[in-house]
Amino acid sequence: MKLELELGEEKNLSSIYGRLDSTLKVMEKALGIEATIRGSKVLLQGDEEPVTKARKFIKEFYSINSDGYAISPEDIKYVLKAIDADTPSEADTSGSLPEQNRNTSLKDYFLSNIPVSSKKKFIVPRSETQKKYIDAIRQHDMVIGIGPAGTGKTYLAMAMAINALLKKEVSRIILARPAVEAGERLGFLPGDLYEKINPYLRPLYDALFDMMEAEKANRLIDTGVIEIAPLAFMRGRTLNDSFIILDEAQNTTSEQMKMYLTRLGFNSKTVITGDITQVDLPSGRMSGLVEAEKLLKGISGLHFIYFSDRDVVRHRLVQKIIKAYERFEKGRSISHEKEKTD
C-alpha cells in the first residue's frame, strides 16, 4: 500500500525536519514500512495496517512537535512498540483503574508525561504498564509497584516525586531502602555511618541526578528537602506533607514493612517498589513486600501495579535474561512439585 501524507506548509515543517527524519527511521524499523519526506509531504509504503498506524502516528507527532515539545527517538521507539501491541498489559491484574482504550495513541502517552527540572523537558511512559503506574500514582496515596529490574518502577516514582515537589504539592521527598540485603548489619561494614549506607542508597542518587541538576539536588539534600536514608531511620517518625519512596521493598522484613506503612502522615503519598523474585532475606524470613501483597489488596486508596519482562526498558539483553530466569524458575518449581508427589 502507498500513501501520501500532507502535513502542512513546508515553512512550518522546517523546525521539526531533523526530529521528523530521525523519528521516521525509528518508525520504519518498528512498523516494517518505508517512509520518505518530500517537501511538506511524507510518502508511506508497506502493508495496509502498519501504513495506517504510521499515518496516525506521524500526524500526532507533527501536532505535538508543532506545540513546541520534543520527544526523543528512544522514547518514540518504546511508545511505538507499546502502541503496536494495541492491547492492555496482562501484567496489571488489579482491575481498579479504568481499562485503557485499545487504540492508545502517541498523544495518550504524551499526556501522561512527567515534567521534571532537568536536562530532559519531561519523562514519557514507555509501556502501557508504565502509563498505568503513573496514572495510579496521580490518583492514589499509596501505590505498590512489583516487577523485575529495569521496568522503571523506581525511576518513574522518583520523577513523580520531583514533579510533586516542583508543583508544591509536597514540601519534601524522602527516599528509603533496606540498607543491606539480609537485615541491616551496618556494623560489619567499614567506615562511618555515611560510608556504610551510601553504597546501598546509590541507585536512588543515580535516579535523582539523572533528572535534576547535581548542584540543585545537592542543595536540596543539604537543606533536608530531599532526604535519602536507610529504612531503619523511619522508625518513630510521622511523615507529613511528603512524597516517600521505599525502594527494594522485597528485602524488608514483615516488621519493617508494617513500621514503614504506618509512617504515612497527612498530605503525603508513598510509592513502594520491589521485585519479589529477588528476595535476599535469610531462608525462612517472610518478605514484608510479599506479606503486604497478601494483606493489603482491596484497601481503598491503595493500588498495586504489576510489571513484567515486556516492560523492561533497559538494554534488550536484559529482557531476554529476565525471560530465561523465569523459564528456569518455572521449571524448578514444577520439578519440586513432582518430587513432593512421588
Side-chain angles (χ1 to χ4, degrees), residues 201-230:
L201 304 177
R202 194 71 247 171
L204 296 173
Y205 283 105
D206 290 342
L208 176 63
F209 290 138
D210 193 44
M211 297 175 207
M212 186 178 283
E213 294 81 1
E215 184 179 344
K216 182 175 182 180
N218 283 320
R219 186 168 66 251
L220 293 174
I221 291 170
D222 290 341
T223 57
V225 175
I226 296 177
E227 179 183 345
I228 305 177

Coordinates of all heavy atoms in Angstrom, one line a residue, residues 201-230:
L201 N 22.4 3.1 48.9 CA 21.4 4.2 48.5 C 21.8 4.8 47.2 O 21.1 5.6 46.6 CB 21.4 5.3 49.6 CG 21.1 4.8 51.0 CD1 21.2 6.0 52.0 CD2 19.7 4.2 51.1
R202 N 22.9 4.3 46.6 CA 23.4 4.9 45.4 C 22.4 4.9 44.2 O 22.3 5.9 43.5 CB 24.7 4.1 44.9 CG 25.5 4.8 43.9 CD 26.2 6.0 44.4 NE 25.7 7.2 43.8 CZ 26.0 8.4 44.2 NH1 26.8 8.6 45.2 NH2 25.6 9.5 43.6
P203 N 21.7 3.8 44.0 CA 20.7 3.8 42.9 C 19.7 4.9 43.0 O 19.2 5.5 42.0 CB 20.0 2.4 43.0 CG 21.0 1.6 43.7 CD 21.7 2.5 44.7
L204 N 19.3 5.3 44.2 CA 18.4 6.5 44.4 C 19.1 7.8 44.0 O 18.4 8.6 43.4 CB 17.9 6.5 45.9 CG 17.1 5.3 46.3 CD1 16.8 5.4 47.8 CD2 15.8 5.2 45.5
Y205 N 20.3 7.9 44.4 CA 21.1 9.1 44.0 C 21.2 9.2 42.4 O 21.0 10.2 41.8 CB 22.5 9.1 44.5 CG 22.6 9.5 46.0 CD1 22.8 8.5 47.0 CD2 22.5 10.8 46.4 CE1 22.9 8.9 48.3 CE2 22.6 11.2 47.7 CZ 22.8 10.2 48.7 OH 22.9 10.5 50.0
D206 N 21.4 8.0 41.8 CA 21.6 8.0 40.3 C 20.3 8.5 39.6 O 20.4 9.2 38.7 CB 21.9 6.5 39.9 CG 23.3 6.1 40.3 OD1 24.1 7.0 40.6 OD2 23.6 4.9 40.3
A207 N 19.2 8.0 40.1 CA 17.9 8.4 39.5 C 17.7 9.9 39.7 O 17.2 10.6 38.8 CB 16.7 7.6 40.1
L208 N 18.0 10.4 40.9 CA 17.8 11.8 41.3 C 18.6 12.7 40.4 O 18.1 13.7 39.8 CB 18.1 12.0 42.7 CG 18.1 13.5 43.2 CD1 16.7 14.0 43.1 CD2 18.5 13.5 44.7
F209 N 19.9 12.4 40.3 CA 20.8 13.2 39.5 C 20.6 13.1 38.0 O 21.0 14.0 37.2 CB 22.3 12.8 39.8 CG 22.7 13.2 41.2 CD1 23.5 12.4 42.0 CD2 22.3 14.4 41.7 CE1 23.9 12.7 43.3 CE2 22.7 14.8 43.0 CZ 23.5 13.9 43.8
D210 N 19.9 12.1 37.5 CA 19.6 12.0 36.1 C 18.5 12.9 35.7 O 18.3 13.3 34.6 CB 19.1 10.5 35.8 CG 19.1 10.3 34.3 OD1 20.0 10.7 33.6 OD2 18.1 9.7 33.8
M211 N 17.7 13.3 36.7 CA 16.5 14.2 36.5 C 16.7 15.7 36.9 O 16.0 16.6 36.4 CB 15.3 13.7 37.2 CG 14.8 12.3 36.7 SD 13.5 11.7 37.7 CE 13.7 10.0 37.6
M212 N 17.6 15.9 37.8 CA 17.8 17.2 38.4 C 19.3 17.6 38.4 O 20.2 16.7 38.5 CB 17.3 17.2 39.8 CG 17.3 18.5 40.5 SD 16.6 18.4 42.2 CE 14.9 18.3 41.8
E213 N 19.6 18.8 38.1 CA 21.0 19.3 38.1 C 21.6 19.0 39.4 O 21.0 19.1 40.5 CB 21.0 20.8 37.8 CG 20.5 21.2 36.5 CD 19.0 21.3 36.4 OE1 18.4 21.1 37.4 OE2 18.5 21.7 35.3
A214 N 22.9 18.5 39.4 CA 23.6 18.0 40.6 C 23.7 19.1 41.6 O 23.5 18.8 42.8 CB 25.0 17.5 40.2
E215 N 23.9 20.3 41.2 CA 24.1 21.4 42.2 C 22.8 21.6 43.0 O 22.7 21.8 44.2 CB 24.5 22.7 41.5 CG 24.8 23.8 42.4 CD 25.2 25.1 41.7 OE1 25.6 25.0 40.5 OE2 25.2 26.2 42.3
K216 N 21.6 21.6 42.2 CA 20.3 21.9 42.8 C 20.0 20.7 43.7 O 19.5 20.9 44.9 CB 19.3 22.1 41.8 CG 17.9 22.3 42.4 CD 16.9 22.6 41.3 CE 15.5 23.0 41.9 NZ 14.5 23.3 40.9
A217 N 20.2 19.4 43.2 CA 19.9 18.3 44.0 C 20.7 18.2 45.3 O 20.1 18.0 46.4 CB 20.2 17.0 43.2
N218 N 22.0 18.5 45.3 CA 22.8 18.6 46.5 C 22.4 19.6 47.5 O 22.4 19.4 48.7 CB 24.3 18.8 46.1 CG 24.9 17.5 45.5 OD1 24.7 16.4 46.0 ND2 25.8 17.7 44.5
R219 N 21.9 20.8 46.9 CA 21.4 21.8 47.8 C 20.2 21.4 48.5 O 20.0 21.6 49.7 CB 21.2 23.1 47.0 CG 20.8 24.3 47.8 CD 20.8 25.6 47.0 NE 19.8 25.6 46.0 CZ 20.0 25.5 44.7 NH1 21.2 25.4 44.2 NH2 19.0 25.5 43.8
L220 N 19.3 20.7 47.8 CA 18.0 20.2 48.4 C 18.3 19.1 49.5 O 17.6 19.0 50.5 CB 17.1 19.7 47.3 CG 16.5 20.8 46.4 CD1 15.7 20.1 45.3 CD2 15.7 21.8 47.2
I221 N 19.3 18.3 49.2 CA 19.7 17.3 50.1 C 20.3 17.9 51.4 O 20.0 17.5 52.5 CB 20.7 16.3 49.5 CG1 20.0 15.4 48.4 CG2 21.3 15.4 50.6 CD1 21.0 14.6 47.6
D222 N 21.2 18.9 51.2 CA 21.8 19.6 52.3 C 20.8 20.3 53.2 O 21.0 20.4 54.5 CB 22.8 20.6 51.8 CG 24.1 20.0 51.2 OD1 24.3 18.8 51.5 OD2 24.8 20.6 50.4
T223 N 19.7 20.8 52.6 CA 18.7 21.5 53.4 C 17.6 20.6 53.9 O 16.7 21.1 54.6 CB 18.1 22.7 52.6 OG1 17.5 22.1 51.4 CG2 19.1 23.7 52.2
G224 N 17.7 19.3 53.6 CA 16.7 18.4 54.1 C 15.4 18.3 53.3 O 14.5 17.6 53.7
V225 N 15.3 19.0 52.2 CA 14.1 19.0 51.4 C 14.0 17.6 50.7 O 13.0 17.0 50.5 CB 14.1 20.1 50.3 CG1 13.0 20.0 49.3 CG2 14.1 21.5 51.0
I226 N 15.2 17.1 50.3 CA 15.3 15.7 49.8 C 16.1 14.9 50.8 O 17.3 15.3 51.1 CB 15.9 15.6 48.4 CG1 15.0 16.3 47.4 CG2 16.1 14.1 48.0 CD1 15.6 16.4 46.0
E227 N 15.5 13.9 51.4 CA 16.2 13.0 52.4 C 16.4 11.6 51.8 O 15.4 11.0 51.4 CB 15.5 13.0 53.7 CG 16.1 12.1 54.7 CD 15.2 12.1 56.0 OE1 14.3 12.9 56.1 OE2 15.5 11.2 56.8
I228 N 17.6 11.1 51.9 CA 17.9 9.7 51.4 C 18.4 9.0 52.6 O 19.5 9.3 53.2 CB 18.8 9.7 50.2 CG1 18.3 10.6 49.1 CG2 19.0 8.3 49.8 CD1 19.2 10.7 47.9
A229 N 17.7 7.9 53.0 CA 18.1 7.3 54.3 C 17.7 5.8 54.3 O 16.8 5.4 53.6 CB 17.4 7.9 55.5
P230 N 18.4 5.0 55.1 CA 18.1 3.6 55.2 C 16.7 3.5 55.9 O 16.4 4.3 56.7 CB 19.2 3.0 56.0 CG 19.8 4.1 56.7 CD 19.6 5.3 55.9

